[in-house]
Amino acid sequence: MRGSRIRGTLKFLAHAAVIITLYLAFSFVMFLGLQVSPRYGNISLVVIAALVGLYVYFGFVRK
């Protein structure tokens, strides 16, 4: 029972870390697109969308 609780906590922390990282990456993409060059922002948005798709697939769909 205790191992299950630890595993659940670690799973929650892993999901939180991924979501925070994706948010920070998205914020940086917005900076690139608005301040540096729209081309870099557009390319980076595609990369972020792919990363979010992979997170959803590996985190929730594939079990």
Side-chain angles (χ1 to χ4, degrees):
M1 184 110 97
R2 180 174 160 89
S4 168
R5 187 175 183 140
I6 292 173
R7 184 175 178 196
T9 302
L10 289 177
K11 189 174 180 181
F12 173 78
L13 290 175
H15 282 287
V18 170
I19 290 170
I20 290 168
T21 303
L22 286 172
Y23 174 76
L24 290 174
F26 181 75
S27 296
F28 183 69
V29 164
M30 290 294 104
F31 167 75
L32 284 177
L34 294 172
Q35 298 294 326
V36 178
S37 170
R39 181 180 303 135
Y40 292 149
N42 290 336
I43 292 169
S44 300
L45 277 176
V46 171
V47 172
I48 292 295
L51 289 174
V52 169
L54 285 172
Y55 168 64
V56 169
Y57 177 72
F58 285 112
F60 300 106
V61 176
R62 191 185 74 129
K63 292 274 177 172

